[in-house]
């Protein structure tokens, strides 16, 4: 039932007071009457009245002096002055001092009621407006806070950075030091961030929660915030760390995107009965901002790994297409040559027959090397390369591959410089031999006949540096990193050579790194090339 | 009869040797090139009757060679490829190659396809009864192997012409996919549906005023093709 509006009537004419009381009472107003200014003041100190009707001459004061005091105490009160003789001056003064209206005695009851009604309606509008303005200001404050939070958490796409920034902002915006955040991962709620708790309490916090456990589970499941006004009365174990830490009340809000929960934000304070509908609204808004930022970071991560997977996939497809081509080419020579010899319609002379057989032989070798490279590459990929290390002198390593090197460099000048004083190294002789051979093969491929290819060794403290240098076409600076990547194909090789698989240098790097060394290149266009790699000394 | 000249293009010298030995032993003259640029020079310089072309080559690759040659010549082109990619095959055929072989291949198969390509060029033993064929603006002069649409001459490659002639000579019948493939290409092609689709497409693009709504070469869905005798 709507409360009646209350009216205080101040007049020393007691009969008048009785009549007025009846008239106003019949209209449903709550009426109180006092005969003096002093009594009026003391009533007004105790409670609010919607309206006050004052006689201009009171035993202990002038009505016009009482008026401003009343308005000071209750700024919204509707004050109506009653004047005895028609005195314009009094009327004007009353209005100036804040009266809503003045009326002349003797009163016309209808007039009085109508004035009171208008006055109270105005009062209602003012109070409603004031409420609206306050509400608007409150919303503004919340919106500003949320904007702040949103800006703070969207500075980054890194999930942990976002969470930490968010919890920091929660503290700044709400003044609540202690807060924490759980995120849904693989059907469990995992603790992803906390702020303002001592280390002891952090240790006691459950790192994983079931989606249906306790109040946190409920907040998540129903996507609705919850308040626990007295933690001492709460039985669930998921928040026991709070009570242990001396916190008395808790509020939690779901992190939601389009109504769906992705996690829970919890705050705690050492005051009991701290949380109310008002500050929950702010918290829930913050929860939504955090949810958006977190979702963005998660999507970004998914997209990056999806993109990375797609890149890897297309690299793999490209590589397989390459491999297919490389395998089919020697196969075509082998098949074609054998098939030619078998055709009944043409008999070839002996020399031609030998040529065909020799092609078969050579390309079978090519295929074999290819298969070996592919196997090596798959071992490198799986990081399953076997490396059997023993102590060796570098001169021995060179000796073991000398024949092959001589064959390779038949049309070049091979210069080997390994000082006697070079310390022995702990290596897999076969693998390092492969590296050297590969580097020399490249040198032969990319330099003209009759130029020099040199192999040198230089001790350098705890390691030895081996170099293979040529006087060939060189490698431009921008490619110095790429050449060691798998599948990378250089150009500028001499005509007539088939493309390799682009694995040679990648394999060299894999072997060198498996020995704990590094490999690098120094080169410039037309300035020759120098590959160096380091090996650890015994 | 003059020896036919075959241009072979491959960046692998072993393949070139293999092809060259086999072709020479069977009575063909051989010109060899190791990359796309060299091959284009050779086509312009010499009288070439057929090109055997590898796809993956440095500088100018096989696809580009086909495109450029087809700008001014209808010489038969057989593609050799180590990629074995279905998309590649269709792309090359649509661009104007006549045939496509995947490495590794057998010698007999290669020789048969060379023969087919030459047959499309103009085998004088096959001459239709009438001297020409007319249909609503399109005219085929069998004797001169010339085709024109609305008076304007249209250049067709040998294979394209062979297909069109076959359709025209049999214009009162519906020809099934396999009948066309066998008659125009050969028995071993009876399941190469791609070829038929691509070559009908090429003909339509060259002859039809609106290739998407053909009036000359009609598709009989699920069955084959038919050349309208009267529009």
């Amino acid at each position: 039932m709507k409360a009646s509006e209350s009216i205080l009537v101040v007049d020393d004419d007691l009969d008048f007071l009785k009549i007025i009381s009846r008239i106003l009472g019949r209209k449903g107003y709550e009426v109180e009457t006092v005969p003096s200014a002093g009594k009026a003041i003391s009533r007004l100190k105790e409670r609010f009245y919607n309206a006050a009707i004052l006689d201009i001459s009171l035993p202990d004061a002038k009505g016009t002096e009482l008026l401003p005091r009343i308005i000071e105490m209750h700024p919204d009160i509707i004050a109506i002055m009653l004047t005895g003789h028609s005195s314009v001056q009094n009327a004007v003064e009353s209005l100036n001092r804040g009266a809503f209206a003045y009326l002349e005695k003797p009163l016309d009851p209808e007039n009085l009621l109508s004035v009171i009604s208008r006055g109270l309606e105005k009062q209602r509008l003012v109070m409603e407006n004031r409420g609206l303005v306050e509400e608007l200001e409150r919303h503004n404050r919340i919106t500003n806070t949320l904007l702040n939070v949103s800006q703070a958490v969207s500075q980054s796409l890194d999930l942990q950075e976002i969470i930490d920034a968010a919890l920091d902002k929660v503290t700044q915006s709400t003044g609540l030091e202690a807060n924490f955040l759980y995120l849904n991962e693989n059907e469990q709620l995992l603790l992803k961030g906390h702020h303002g708790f001592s280390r002891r309490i952090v240790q006691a916090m459950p790192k994983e929660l079931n989606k249906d456990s306790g109040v946190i589970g409920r907040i998540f499941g129903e996507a609705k915030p919850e308040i626990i006004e007295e933690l001492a009365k709460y039985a669930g174990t998921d928040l026991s760390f709070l009570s242990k830490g001396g916190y008395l009340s808790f509020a939690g809000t779901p992190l939601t995107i389009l109504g769906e929960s992705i996690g829970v934000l919890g705050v705690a304070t050492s005051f009991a009965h701290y949380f109310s509908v008002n500050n929950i609204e702010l918290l829930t808004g913050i929860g939504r901002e955090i949810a958006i930022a977190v979702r963005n970071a998660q999507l970004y991560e998914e997209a990056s790994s999806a993109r990375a997977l797609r890149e890897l996939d297309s690299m793999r497809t490209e590589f397989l297409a390459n491999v297919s081509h490389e395998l089919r080419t020697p196969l075509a020579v082998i098949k074609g040559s054998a098939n030619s010899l078998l055709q009944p319609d043409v008999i070839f002379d002996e020399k031609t027959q030998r040529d065909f057989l020799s092609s078969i032989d050579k390309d079978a070798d090519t295929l074999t090397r290819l298969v070996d490279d592919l196997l090596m590459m798959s071992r490198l990929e799986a990081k399953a390369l076997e490396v059997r290390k023993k102590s060796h002198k570098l001169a021995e390593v060179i000796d073991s591959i000398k024949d092959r090197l001589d064959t390779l460099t038949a049309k070049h000048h091979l210069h080997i410089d390994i000082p006697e004083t070079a310390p022995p190294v702990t290596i897999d002789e076969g693998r390092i031999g492969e590296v050297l051979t590969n580097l020399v093969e490249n040198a032969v491929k990319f330099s003209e006949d009759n130029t020099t290819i040199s192999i040198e060794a230089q001790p350098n403290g705890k390691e030895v540096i081996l170099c293979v240098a040529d006087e060939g076409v060189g490698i431009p600076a921008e490619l110095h990193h790429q050449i060691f990547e798998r599948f990378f194909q250089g150009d500028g090789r001499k005509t007539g050579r088939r493309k390799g698989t682009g694995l040679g240098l990648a394999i060299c790097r894999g072997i060198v790194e498996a020995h704990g060394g590094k490999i690098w290149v120094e080169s410039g266009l037309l300035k020759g090339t120098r590959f160096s790699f380091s090996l650890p000394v015994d | 009869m003059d020896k036919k000249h075959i241009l072979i293009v491959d960046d692998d010298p072993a393949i070139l040797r293999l092809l060259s030995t086999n072709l020479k032993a069977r009575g063909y003259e051989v010109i060899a090139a190791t990359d796309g640029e060299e091959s284009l020079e050779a086509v312009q310089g010499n009288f070439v009757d057929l090109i055997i072309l590898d796809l993956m080559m440095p500088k100018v690759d096989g696809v580009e060679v086909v495109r450029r040659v087809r700008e001014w010549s209808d010489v038969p082109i057989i593609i050799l490829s180590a990629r074995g990619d279905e998309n590649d095959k269709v792309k090359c055929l649509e661009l104007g190659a006549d045939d496509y072989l995947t490495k590794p291949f057998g010698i007999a198969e290669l020789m048969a396809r060379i023969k087919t390509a030459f047959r499309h060029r103009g085998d004088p033993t096959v001459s239709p009864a009438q001297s020409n064929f007319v249909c609503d603006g399109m005219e085929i002069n069998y004797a001169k192997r010339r085709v024109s649409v609305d008076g304007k001459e249209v250049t067709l490659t040998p294979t394209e012409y062979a297909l069109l002639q076959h359709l025209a000579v049999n214009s009162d019948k519906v020809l099934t996919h396999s009948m066309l493939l066998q008659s125009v290409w050969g028995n071993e092609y009876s399941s190469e549906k791609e070829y038929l689709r691509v070559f009908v497409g090429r003909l339509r693009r060259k002859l039809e005023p609106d290739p998407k709504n053909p009036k000359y070469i009609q598709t009989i869905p699920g069955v084959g093709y038919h050349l309208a005798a009267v529009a």
Side-chain angles (χ1 to χ4, degrees):
Chain A
M1 195 180 87
K2 195 176 138 220
S4 333
E5 281 142 329
S6 51
I7 307 182
L8 178 69
V9 190
V10 189
D11 201 319
D12 56 346
D13 182 345
L14 298 175
D15 292 326
F16 175 76
L17 287 180
K18 276 202 210 121
I19 298 171
I20 284 287
S21 213
R22 245 202 328 262
I23 295 175
L24 297 176
R26 254 186 285 171
K27 267 295 174 179
Y29 294 114
E30 186 196 324
V31 187
E32 262 195 56
T33 57
V34 290
S36 70
K39 294 245 174 74
I41 301 267
S42 58
R43 291 305 295 140
L44 285 161
K45 275 192 187 150
E46 285 181 25
R47 61 162 288 181
F48 171 76
Y49 294 89
N50 293 86
I53 302 175
L54 316 177
D55 190 77
I56 200 156
S57 57
L58 294 167
D60 49 349
K62 274 186 77 176
T64 41
E65 276 161 16
L66 177 57
L67 182 56
R69 288 198 63 192
I70 295 180
I71 291 180
E72 204 187 309
M73 282 196 283
H74 297 279
D76 285 333
I77 205 167
I78 300 295
I80 300 172
M81 284 300 269
L82 296 178
T83 59
H85 0 282
S86 74
S87 158
V88 177
Q89 194 188 1
N90 276 338
V92 169
E93 203 184 330
S94 328
L95 292 175
N96 278 343
R97 288 183 179 218
F100 174 71
Y102 74 91
L103 291 168
E104 270 182 38
K105 282 182 176 177
L107 286 181
D108 173 357
E110 287 307 313
N111 210 8
L112 174 65
L113 290 169
S114 144
V115 166
I116 292 176
S117 171
R118 264 191 304 121
L120 291 177
E121 197 181 308
K122 177 191 162 213
Q123 185 186 68
R124 252 177 269 129
L125 281 172
V126 166
M127 286 170 82
E128 239 174 64
N129 244 7
R130 186 173 303 125
L132 286 171
V133 168
E134 267 170 13
E135 187 68 10
L136 188 65
E137 278 172 7
R138 192 172 70 88
H139 271 132
N140 267 353
R141 273 197 307 275
I142 291 184
T143 306
N144 275 339
T145 307
L146 293 182
L147 190 63
N148 244 334
V149 169
S150 150
Q151 279 170 350
V153 301
S154 46
Q155 296 296 333
S156 166
L157 279 166
D158 177 86
L159 188 60
Q160 199 54 54
E161 273 178 34
I162 288 178
I163 292 176
D164 293 338
L167 295 183
D168 199 45
K169 257 307 169 192
V170 169
T171 300
Q172 275 183 41
S173 327
T174 62
L176 295 162
E177 263 295 324
N179 50 52
F180 56 90
L181 191 135
Y182 281 86
L183 279 184
N184 178 24
E185 236 173 72
N186 300 328
E187 307 303 304
Q188 292 265 56
L189 290 171
L190 299 180
L191 179 65
K192 285 292 188 179
H194 53 81
H195 187 278
F197 290 106
S198 71
R199 201 192 314 229
R200 190 177 49 90
I201 301 193
V202 171
Q203 277 174 357
M205 290 172 86
K207 307 295 178 286
E208 268 177 32
L209 284 176
N210 253 328
K211 281 195 333 186
D212 12 318
S213 78
V215 67
I216 295 189
R218 205 167 44 236
I219 294 172
F220 176 80
E222 297 184 10
K224 283 211 186 84
E226 270 200 44
I227 302 174
I228 298 180
E229 295 190 335
E230 282 179 67
L231 275 167
K233 293 192 183 156
Y234 174 69
T237 48
D238 52 339
L239 296 180
S240 55
F241 68 95
L242 285 178
S243 351
K244 275 202 209 120
Y247 296 98
L248 294 185
S249 57
F250 160 87
T253 181
L255 305 173
T256 56
I257 305 250
L258 298 174
E260 205 189 297
S261 288
I262 63 169
V264 176
L265 168 69
V267 295
T269 164
S270 38
F271 296 103
H273 297 282
Y274 182 87
F275 296 105
S276 69
V277 172
N278 277 334
N279 46 28
I280 282 300
E281 189 181 337
L282 177 61
L283 213 56
T284 312
I286 293 180
R288 275 198 299 273
E289 291 303 322
I290 296 177
I292 294 175
V294 163
R295 195 83 192 101
N296 269 353
Q298 286 173 337
L299 287 174
Y300 180 74
E301 221 173 270
E302 276 171 35
S304 304
S305 47
R307 192 172 35 237
L309 273 175
R310 269 203 303 273
E311 268 170 30
L312 196 62
D313 212 47
S314 78
M315 259 170 63
R316 203 167 277 152
T317 310
E318 183 61 30
F319 176 68
L320 285 176
N322 249 353
V323 169
S324 168
H325 179 268
E326 290 310 308
L327 290 174
R328 283 172 185 272
T329 305
L331 276 176
V333 172
I334 293 172
K335 165 80 178 173
S337 303
N339 198 244
S340 301
L341 292 171
L342 293 169
Q343 291 303 307
D345 61 328
V346 172
I347 308 290
F348 294 99
D349 63 48
E350 210 181 293
K351 176 170 183 315
T352 313
Q353 286 178 8
R354 283 196 69 79
D355 283 344
F356 276 133
L357 290 170
S358 159
S359 285
I360 294 174
D361 192 44
K362 187 159 163 289
D363 276 68
D365 287 341
T366 304
L367 260 184
T368 309
R369 269 203 312 276
L370 200 53
V371 168
D372 284 342
D373 268 1
L374 289 172
L375 269 178
M376 173 72 89
M377 199 212 69
S378 83
R379 276 197 214 117
L380 279 173
E381 291 244 283
K383 303 213 197 298
L385 188 64
E386 279 171 28
V387 167
R388 285 194 211 92
K389 296 187 200 162
K390 269 172 40 182
S391 174
H392 289 280
K393 292 177 98 147
L394 286 168
E396 284 168 28
V397 181
I398 303 288
D399 270 345
S400 69
I401 53 172
K402 192 70 169 49
D403 283 343
R404 173 111 182 95
L405 289 182
D406 284 336
T407 316
L408 279 174
T409 57
K411 296 198 182 136
H412 293 73
H413 304 296
L414 179 62
H415 173 76
I416 301 180
D417 181 13
I418 313 275
E420 282 292 316
T421 53
V425 284
T426 310
I427 54 168
D428 182 320
E429 188 183 50
R431 301 273 183 236
I432 297 298
E434 275 176 53
V435 171
L436 282 169
T437 309
N438 198 303
L439 293 175
V440 171
E441 268 173 9
N442 281 351
V444 168
K445 226 194 277 188
F446 290 93
S447 64
E448 297 295 320
D449 293 351
N450 283 314
T451 56
T452 305
I453 296 178
S454 56
I455 304 178
E456 291 161 15
Q458 267 169 16
N460 185 19
K462 291 208 186 119
E463 26 176 58
V464 174
I465 315 265
L466 276 162
C467 309
V468 175
D470 67 53
E471 297 171 337
V473 292
I475 306 170
E478 57 267 20
L479 293 179
H480 284 192
H481 279 293
Q482 274 179 281
I483 52 172
F484 290 102
E485 283 166 22
R486 300 172 324 175
F487 321 135
F488 183 79
Q489 303 271 21
D491 240 321
R493 60 194 180 280
K494 290 198 288 188
T495 53
R497 298 283 173 166
R498 280 201 287 263
K499 283 198 269 201
T501 51
L503 293 174
L505 284 176
I507 292 175
C508 285
R509 179 166 74 172
I511 294 175
V512 166
E513 285 177 0
H515 281 82
K518 278 195 159 38
I519 185 169
W520 66 95
V521 66
E522 292 153 86
S523 176
L525 267 179
L526 299 178
K527 293 192 189 141
T529 306
R530 180 190 197 77
F531 278 94
S532 311
F533 62 97
S534 58
L535 294 173
V537 168
D538 277 351
Chain B
M1 195 167 66
D2 276 331
K3 280 190 176 185
K4 296 252 195 317
H5 289 68
I6 301 185
L7 168 66
I8 52 180
V9 191
D10 197 312
D11 65 339
D12 183 351
I15 298 269
L16 281 182
R17 266 198 315 274
L18 172 66
L19 290 172
S20 176
T21 310
N22 277 287
L23 290 173
K24 283 190 184 148
R26 287 167 177 85
Y28 296 105
E29 286 287 337
V30 173
I31 310 156
T34 54
D35 68 54
E37 248 171 56
E38 268 184 54
S39 71
L40 288 171
E41 282 166 18
V43 173
Q44 283 167 338
N46 300 285
F47 185 67
V48 167
D49 294 303
L50 179 115
I51 307 179
I52 298 179
L53 176 64
D54 179 43
L55 270 194
M56 286 182 78
M57 291 185 297
K59 292 192 220 156
V60 183
D61 76 3
V63 170
E64 191 54 27
V65 172
V66 172
R67 198 179 282 140
R68 290 214 223 158
V69 167
R70 279 287 171 259
E71 277 169 18
W72 50 271
S73 166
D74 61 357
V75 62
I77 301 177
I78 298 180
I79 301 280
L80 279 186
S81 171
R83 276 182 70 101
D85 186 337
E86 189 69 22
N87 292 330
D88 263 356
K89 186 169 166 186
V90 171
K91 187 160 107 189
C92 288
L93 291 176
E94 284 182 346
L95 280 175
D98 290 79
D99 212 336
Y100 186 105
L101 256 190
T102 316
K103 295 175 183 172
F105 52 84
I107 299 298
E109 201 184 345
L110 174 64
M111 295 303 151
R113 294 200 181 216
I114 293 175
K115 283 223 180 74
T116 303
F118 281 133
R119 194 160 42 93
H120 291 163
R121 192 113 224 242
D123 193 341
T125 64
V126 178
S127 49
Q130 297 162 275
S131 62
N132 64 358
F133 173 90
V134 178
C135 164
D136 187 28
M138 175 171 74
E139 179 167 340
I140 306 176
N141 183 326
Y142 294 131
K144 295 193 178 147
R145 293 174 69 86
R146 270 223 280 268
V147 180
S148 63
V149 173
D150 294 331
K152 242 182 111 196
E153 186 169 341
V154 177
T155 318
L156 299 178
T157 68
T159 313
E160 288 166 355
Y161 178 82
L163 176 59
L164 183 63
Q165 179 178 285
H166 197 79
L167 284 167
V169 166
N170 294 291
S171 64
D172 54 342
K173 309 186 188 87
V174 169
L175 300 168
T176 65
H177 296 301
S178 46
M179 279 164 68
L180 279 167
L181 284 166
Q182 277 174 11
S183 312
V184 178
W185 276 274
N187 282 332
E188 60 272 23
Y189 290 76
S190 57
S191 55
E192 299 265 30
K193 284 246 176 67
E194 286 307 312
Y195 279 61
L196 201 47
R197 188 177 64 73
V198 168
F199 278 92
V200 167
R202 278 159 65 169
L203 278 177
R204 281 175 174 158
R205 273 198 297 278
K206 287 186 176 179
L207 300 170
E208 304 275 358
D210 180 7
K212 292 223 171 88
N213 295 305
K215 59 174 184 168
Y216 300 127
I217 305 175
Q218 317 260 325
T219 307
I220 315 293
V223 178
Y225 297 97
H226 169 71
L227 187 63
V230 194

